[in-house]
Amino acid sequence: MRHPPVTWTGPHPSEVPLVAVAHGSRDPRAAATVEDLLDAVRARRPGLPVHTSFLDHAPPSPDRVLQGLDADAAVVLPLLLTAAYHSKIDIPGVLAGVRTARPRLGLRTAGTLGPHPLLVAALERRLAEAGVACGDPRTAVVLVAAGSSDPAANATIWSMARRWREAGWWGVVPAFASAAGPSPADAVAALLDAGAPRVAVASYFLAPGYFADKVRAESLSAGAAVVSDVLGAAPELADLVLHRHDEALSGLRQAAAV
């Protein structure tokens, strides 16, 4: 069914609400970290309504937030580091239901946060905070992501690792906390066996939780010298959220003019 075109009867386009959709976790630290990140976004653009939602384990759900909006349009932004099942299946499924319930609500889905150079900058920030200088030629880096059953998502991490080697590190290899290999411990051990003077683990996680804790414990046990903190509310992530919002808003504005 073809829905009627969207008309701008609500806020100025620059103030179209942003509904951030995070994965969600049973660990309360995760929701608190997401809110810290979105607070940083709000501080950067005070006129922008920013709403938090979670796909699972924590309220509110994205459909509840979207159906309760007092607005004619919204940008839905996946707070996900790679495009995989949640961004390709779960979020579109949620939005299909919202479009049925509110056919005149103009919705635009922003791209996932990654890949983007700002995420590499945030990883380097977290490593620097742990005492690892960017591009240290005596340090090998294990780039650890959650892992996915989607091969394209894992391939994104392999590609990031290859490009990051150009910063001057002794080496950079990917690893995955689940669903794919190598494991962080295996990657750390392989680098040490290959002669790396020191191994640092870069945690490619948005928020703390089971995977981040597991990676830290197993990596240190395997001989890693450093495990960086999760990305959290790094300034680069706040900037990236606004960048993705603006990209999507441009498309929404074009759709509204049709």
Side-chain angles (χ1 to χ4, degrees), residues 10-11 15-21 48-53 60-77 95 98 101-102 104-108 252:
E15 298 175 354
V16 172
L18 185 160
V19 177
V21 184
L48 176 65
V50 177
H51 302 269
T52 311
S53 69
S61 63
D63 56 336
R64 182 167 184 174
V65 171
L66 287 164
Q67 292 186 30
L69 283 180
D70 183 18
D72 295 321
V75 170
V76 178
L77 195 153
L95 298 188
V98 173
R102 292 192 60 181
R104 292 190 63 82
L105 177 64
L107 293 176
R108 198 74 174 185
L252 183 57

Side-chain angles (χ1 to χ4, degrees), residues 170-183:
W170 190 91
V172 181
V173 299
F176 303 93
S178 69
S183 70

Side-chain angles (χ1 to χ4, degrees), residues 51-163:
H51 302 269
T52 311
S53 69
F54 300 93
L55 286 169
D56 203 0
H57 303 304
S61 63
D63 56 336
R64 182 167 184 174
V65 171
L66 287 164
Q67 292 186 30
L69 283 180
D70 183 18
D72 295 321
V75 170
V76 178
L77 195 153
L79 289 182
L80 304 170
L81 298 178
T82 55
Y85 186 87
H86 294 304
S87 63
K88 296 176 181 179
I89 305 297
D90 286 343
I91 292 177
V94 168
L95 298 188
V98 173
R99 288 189 174 100
T100 298
R102 292 192 60 181
R104 292 190 63 82
L105 177 64
L107 293 176
R108 198 74 174 185
T109 306
T112 55
L113 295 178
H116 194 277
L118 283 170
L119 285 170
V120 177
L123 287 165
E124 291 172 348
R125 172 186 292 274
R126 294 300 187 227
L127 283 170
E129 291 169 351
V132 180
C134 176
D136 178 5
R138 291 184 55 79
T139 299
V141 176
V142 179
L143 174 62
V144 182
S148 172
S149 59
D150 185 333
N154 298 330
T156 297
I157 307 304
W158 282 90
S159 179
M160 284 180 62
R162 284 193 297 270
R163 290 195 300 271

